[in-house]
């Protein structure tokens, strides 16, 4: 029977919880990016470590600017954590540039994490109102150097279009996109259908090169969905750190993010966040 719980096993008091890392940008508005990831990790009872890649100057109306962290500092954060604390699963979010993508890949390899630690790549390219969070010139490095190392890649429909040139408009094109994305080399590709606003169901399609798995949830009628993609990928990462198989981890993440979207709230003058603390507050 499918798992319908939105909690993961907790470590006994005083014992080390599962250890996960996010490699992501900061959202000064507190809704998305590293802040959303750490919130999800905390809520799901895993120890979250963080390698900051960029600082966005952002509120609910949009991203005004971003500042990239020097590549040796990005690499240093990952190495410092890997060599001491350890990483049982990781996710990437905003990576901003080719140089940062290359530093992440090189460090991932140098620390012996490749092929041993599950890696979820959320290929963040733009904010949900379209401001770029990745230089256009970095798309090739994302596609050719990072995605092939991913256990799972989790694009939304805009990111799919940029990565494989397919406009997803229905089930057939969603399958085409899953095949094309999987051909880039990740173990699993998840095409998130949440932005397909014509449907009353939010359906995500997972593909491992042979079998399709569909994850559907009733669409929640809200414009406040900032941080949804990050929260989903972070929850999947937490479940992978517990050794859940990818389809189970995705099912878990989908249940978790759907609860968070149901709890979304208005904030500022623009698009509010999903409630990453649903169940604890609201
Ligand atoms: N990471 C950062 C730093 C961001 O600013 C954003 C969006 O603005 C994202 C990731 C992706 O956000 P979402 O989960 O809403 O797709």
């Amino acid at each position: 029977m499918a798992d319908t719980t939105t909690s993961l096993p907790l470590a006994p008091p005083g014992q080390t919880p599962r250890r996960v890392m996010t490699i992501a940008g900061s959202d000064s508005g507190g809704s998305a990016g590293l802040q959303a990831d750490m919130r999800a990790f905390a809520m799901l009872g895993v120890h979250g470590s963080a390698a900051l890649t960029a600082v966005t100057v952002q509120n609910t109306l949009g991203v005004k600017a971003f500042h990239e962290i020097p590549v040796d500092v990005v690499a240093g954060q990952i190495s410092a954590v890997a060599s001491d604390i350890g990483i049982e699963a990781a996710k990437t979010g905003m990576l901003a540039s080719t140089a940062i993508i290359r530093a992440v890949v090189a460090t991932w390899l140098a620390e012996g994490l490749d092929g041993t630690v599950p890696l979820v790549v959320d290929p963040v390219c733009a904010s949900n109102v379209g401001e770029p969070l990745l230089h256009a010139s970095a798309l090739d490095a994302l596609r050719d150097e990072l995605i092939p190392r991913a256990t799972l890649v989790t694009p939304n429909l805009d990111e799919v279009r940029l990565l494989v040139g397919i406009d997803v408009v229905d089930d057939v094109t969603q399958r085409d996109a899953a095949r094309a994305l999987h051909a880039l080399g990740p173990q699993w590709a998840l095409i998130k259908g949440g932005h397909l606003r014509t449907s009353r169901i939010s359906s995500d399609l997972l593909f491992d090169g042979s079998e399709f798995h569909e994850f559907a949830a009733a669409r929640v009628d809200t414009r406040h969905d900032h941080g949804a993609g990050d929260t989903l990928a972070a929850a999947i990462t937490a479940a992978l750190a517990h050794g859940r198989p990818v389809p189970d981890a995705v099912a878990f993440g989908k249940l978790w993010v759907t609860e968070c979207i149901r709890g979304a709230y208005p904030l500022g003058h623009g698009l509010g966040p999903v409630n990453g603390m649903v169940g604890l507050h609201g």
Side-chain angles (χ1 to χ4, degrees), residues 24-28 31-37 53-56 58-59 62-63 91 93-95 122 124-129 131 133 156 159 192 195 225-232 274:
S26 160
D27 168 7
S28 51
S31 298
L34 191 136
Q35 286 82 352
D37 293 340
T53 56
V55 176
T56 69
Q58 179 171 183
N59 58 23
V63 179
K91 65 154 290 208
M94 177 186 182
L95 295 172
D122 182 11
V124 173
C125 295
S127 71
N128 50 4
V129 289
E131 297 112 340
L133 295 171
N156 63 30
E159 291 153 357
K192 296 181 291 188
H195 289 188
D225 65 356
H226 200 30
D230 311 76
T231 301
L232 171 69
V274 302

Side-chain angles (χ1 to χ4, degrees), residues 74-101:
V74 175
Q77 294 171 83
I78 301 169
S79 291
V81 171
S83 63
D84 172 37
I85 296 167
I87 302 171
E88 291 170 290
K91 65 154 290 208
T92 64
M94 177 186 182
L95 295 172
S97 72
T98 300
I100 292 178
I101 292 169

Side-chain angles (χ1 to χ4, degrees), residues 99-213:
I100 292 178
I101 292 169
R102 293 202 167 135
V104 169
V105 172
T107 313
W108 194 252
L109 292 169
E111 294 296 336
L113 302 169
D114 191 45
T116 60
V117 174
L119 177 65
V120 177
V121 172
D122 182 11
V124 173
C125 295
S127 71
N128 50 4
V129 289
E131 297 112 340
L133 295 171
L134 180 82
H135 299 300
S137 59
L139 208 52
D140 285 347
L142 185 62
R143 195 191 288 117
D144 303 337
E145 298 174 43
L146 182 62
I147 287 179
R149 311 227 165 265
T151 307
L152 171 70
V153 58
T154 64
N156 63 30
L157 299 185
D158 295 326
E159 291 153 357
V160 164
R161 192 177 311 110
L162 287 169
L163 288 167
V164 296
I166 294 177
D167 232 333
V168 174
V169 291
D170 56 17
D171 295 355
V172 175
T173 44
Q174 195 176 22
R175 283 184 173 230
D176 292 343
R179 286 190 194 93
L181 192 68
H182 185 264
L184 298 179
Q187 288 172 35
W188 295 82
L190 180 70
I191 311 292
K192 296 181 291 188
H195 289 188
L196 206 57
R197 302 227 180 253
T198 47
S199 168
R200 288 180 49 214
I201 302 288
S202 160
S203 173
D204 300 345
L205 190 67
L206 179 68
F207 185 55
D208 67 347
S210 58
E211 241 184 288
F212 288 100
H213 303 254

